[in-house]
Amino acid sequence: MRRMHIGLQVDDLDISIEFYTRLFGCEPTLRRPDYAKWMLEDPRVNFSLDTHGCGQPGSAHYGIQAETHGELADLRSHIDSAELPRSDQNDLVCGYQLQHKSWVTDPNGLWWEAFFTEGVVDEGYGTAEMPDRA
């Protein structure tokens, strides 16, 4: 089953974690000095906060998280059949996790990612670099 993703850039991670912990009624599932993530079941959302990137606080990207490689392949096929240009990033560390993803942009330039996460890694936050726009 797929999960919606919202990745929000914040100014002050600690204050934001306190706010969203109170809002969601639970602690983050993953927390690092510059990153926090909640894997919520109701609503089914992967909600993350970070202090990386080139946007201003409050800027965000959105996505659809696949639970398997096969689901990601299906999402990529759907993007292709919808004739939307996509940019792929595979085997990269992002948000302390090994991921494979495809990016598309909406008519207003808003980034959407379709992605599969293999697991948590300890080697650092990873890339904040976005691929070239397709």
Side-chain angles (χ1 to χ4, degrees):
M1 180 187 303
R2 297 173 185 163
R3 180 186 302 265
M4 291 298 300
H5 169 58
I6 301 169
L8 184 63
Q9 188 169 343
V10 299
D11 216 4
D12 187 314
L13 190 65
D14 292 331
I15 289 172
S16 296
I17 289 172
E18 179 184 345
F19 174 84
Y20 286 106
T21 295
R22 291 172 58 199
L23 179 66
F24 299 146
C26 61
E27 294 289 327
T29 309
L30 176 63
R31 185 170 179 177
R32 298 290 190 265
D34 54 353
Y35 179 83
K37 177 179 80 169
W38 288 259
M39 292 293 279
L40 303 171
E41 292 301 323
D42 185 18
R44 193 165 162 75
V45 176
N46 167 343
F47 184 85
S48 65
L49 305 173
D50 71 71
T51 57
H52 299 276
C54 56
Q56 61 184 345
S59 61
H61 69 270
Y62 303 90
I64 302 168
Q65 182 175 2
E67 291 192 359
T68 65
H69 282 287
E71 277 188 2
L72 178 58
D74 290 345
L75 285 167
R76 286 175 169 173
S77 292
H78 174 76
I79 290 167
D80 293 344
S81 67
E83 299 180 352
L84 298 170
R86 68 179 165 99
S87 296
D88 295 338
Q89 294 177 307
N90 293 306
D91 299 316
L92 75 142
V93 174
C94 182
Y96 296 95
Q97 296 150 101
L98 177 61
Q99 296 183 340
H100 314 282
K101 55 180 71 181
S102 295
W103 292 94
V104 297
T105 53
D106 81 354
N108 295 299
L110 185 65
W111 285 99
W112 276 85
E113 65 178 322
F115 68 102
F116 170 68
T117 300
E118 295 221 19
V120 175
V121 298
D122 291 325
E123 58 195 62
Y125 178 80
T127 183
E129 294 179 26
M130 304 295 261
D132 292 335
R133 292 187 191 265

